[in-house]
Amino acid sequence: PGWFSEISPMWPGEAHSLKVEKILFQGKSDYQNVMVFQSSTYGKVLVLDGVIQLTERDECAYQEMITHLPLCSIPNPKKVLVIGGGDGGVLREVSRHSSIEQIDICEIDKMVVDVSKQFFPSVAVGFEDPRVNLHIGDGVAFLKNAPEGTYDAVIVDSSDPIGPAQELFEKPFFESVAKALRPGGVVSTQAESIWLHMHIIEDIVANCRQIFKGSVNYAWTTVPTYPSGMIGFMLCSTEGPPVDFKHPVNPIDADDSHSKSRGPLKFYNSEIHTAAFCLPTFAKKVVDSK
Ligand SMILES: NCCCN[C@H]1CC[C@H](NCCCN)CC1
């Protein structure tokens, strides 16, 4: 009874609000405050340090796009690493790709995993896939220890740069991702909103251009419950077999990716894949020029 407003210094002067039916969980992990509430119109909602991470109603837009934009851009992905992603949604999407043999995930906060399994079973279903190896720890350290050229794809499903995920937006981390990728390997990272964080995106693009010698792209999706109603992703490839992110070579067919536990794709398709890279002029200037 009442409203939850997402007030943050990361988006000054604005706040998205959701009507609250009932608070289901409140806790404090070693890293952040964790809360789950039942909203009136978006299903259950996961909140970390006052920032909305996902809602049952629109999480598909984020999890499907951050996962299928990279994995549908390379033929035959086999080994995938997820940094963050403790709610399990990205794992659910990665496991739709039958060519994949190994899915490593490194999430720093065990409470996020446990809370997702308890309150968001349709999201945490991703942990049930036998190819998944869960590591609880710091993604920066995990990548430092990863042997060179191990992965076909790395997906960085992080929270925002203020908090535990801060290092995942810095150059040394991107360098360790590039090292862990095979030639022509791809990375997809949570890359904020062009309406709110054009300067952060500018810095990320500049860093990625220095580090990923294949291609560097910014794509976006709409997520009604994220501030500004959208979120973007950096899609980059390392030097090697060229990757054309804008035309999926490995289309995921809606029904063959369907399984009882995962349910069908709700958002991603090949047309929206291509459209995701179309940018408004003010963003194009920054992304294409850096
Ligand atoms: N697997 C779902 C996790 C989602 N990660 C992030 C959670 C915080 C959110 N803030 C949006 C900030 C405005 N761009 C971005 C995605």
Side-chain angles (χ1 to χ4, degrees):
W3 290 77
F4 168 80
S5 295
E6 190 187 40
I7 295 167
S8 167
M10 289 187 283
W11 33 93
E14 62 184 277
H16 186 254
S17 302
L18 288 172
K19 200 164 187 305
V20 178
E21 290 305 317
K22 184 168 186 259
I23 294 180
L24 302 173
F25 176 86
Q26 282 191 298
K28 188 165 178 44
S29 75
D30 296 340
Y31 300 95
Q32 52 208 337
N33 290 303
V34 181
M35 176 175 63
V36 178
F37 68 85
Q38 183 68 49
S39 72
S40 307
T41 51
Y42 275 81
K44 290 197 269 308
V45 183
L46 175 63
V47 179
L48 298 180
D49 280 347
V51 176
I52 292 173
Q53 303 296 303
L54 65 89
T55 82
E56 285 180 310
R57 179 169 161 191
D58 65 3
E59 55 92 10
C60 60
Y62 176 92
Q63 323 277 20
E64 290 182 23
M65 292 294 273
I66 197 172
T67 303
H68 302 307
L69 287 177
L71 294 187
C72 292
S73 296
I74 53 175
N76 210 22
K78 287 190 169 57
K79 289 188 184 176
V80 177
L81 169 62
V82 178
I83 300 291
D87 51 67
V90 167
L91 295 177
R92 178 192 67 207
E93 295 309 315
V94 172
S95 64
R96 292 181 195 274
H97 292 262
S98 49
S99 65
I100 288 172
E101 297 161 358
Q102 177 183 331
I103 310 171
D104 293 337
I105 173 169
C106 186
E107 162 60 54
I108 200 161
D109 193 346
K110 189 173 179 312
M111 187 180 277
V112 172
V113 176
D114 297 340
V115 164
S116 187
K117 287 180 177 176
Q118 185 180 353
F119 296 99
F120 299 90
S122 66
V123 180
V125 63
F127 287 106
E128 293 166 18
D129 191 292
R131 296 166 287 179
V132 170
N133 308 304
L134 171 61
H135 304 263
I136 297 296
D138 182 344
V140 172
F142 186 91
L143 270 163
K144 275 199 187 105
N145 299 326
E148 280 204 41
T150 306
Y151 297 103
D152 299 291
V154 175
I155 298 169
V156 186
D157 173 17
S158 69
S159 51
D160 298 304
I162 296 185
Q166 176 153 5
E167 282 185 279
L168 305 183
F169 290 82
E170 292 165 1
K171 201 168 169 183
F173 175 73
F174 289 127
E175 282 162 347
S176 66
V177 169
K179 185 174 74 64
L181 282 170
R182 65 152 170 84
V186 295
V187 59
S188 172
T189 77
Q190 190 268 99
E192 303 298 348
S193 160
I194 56 174
W195 286 112
L196 301 172
H197 297 125
M198 210 61 242
H199 297 305
I200 294 178
I201 295 167
E202 202 167 350
D203 292 347
I204 293 174
V205 170
N207 285 335
C208 287
R209 286 229 182 281
Q210 290 170 24
I211 294 164
F212 296 100
K213 293 302 180 191
S215 67
V216 172
N217 308 269
Y218 180 92
W220 62 282
T221 187
T222 75
V223 182
T225 56
Y226 286 166
S228 78
M230 62 87 71
I231 188 94
F233 312 103
M234 287 310 298
L235 274 297
C236 308
S237 58
T238 56
E239 194 157 20
V243 176
D244 172 7
F245 283 105
K246 301 182 182 178
H247 302 96
V249 294
N250 173 27
I252 186 160
D253 202 336
D255 40 10
D256 76 16
S257 80
H258 189 157
S259 83
K260 192 177 54 58
S261 55
R262 282 191 298 252
L265 286 170
K266 295 179 188 162
F267 193 93
Y268 178 88
N269 59 57
S270 297
E271 294 81 12
I272 209 157
H273 178 126
T274 302
F277 293 88
C278 299
L279 298 177
T281 303
F282 74 88
K284 221 171 139 59
K285 267 189 203 140
V286 169
V287 172
D288 292 350
S289 68
K290 278 283 155 265

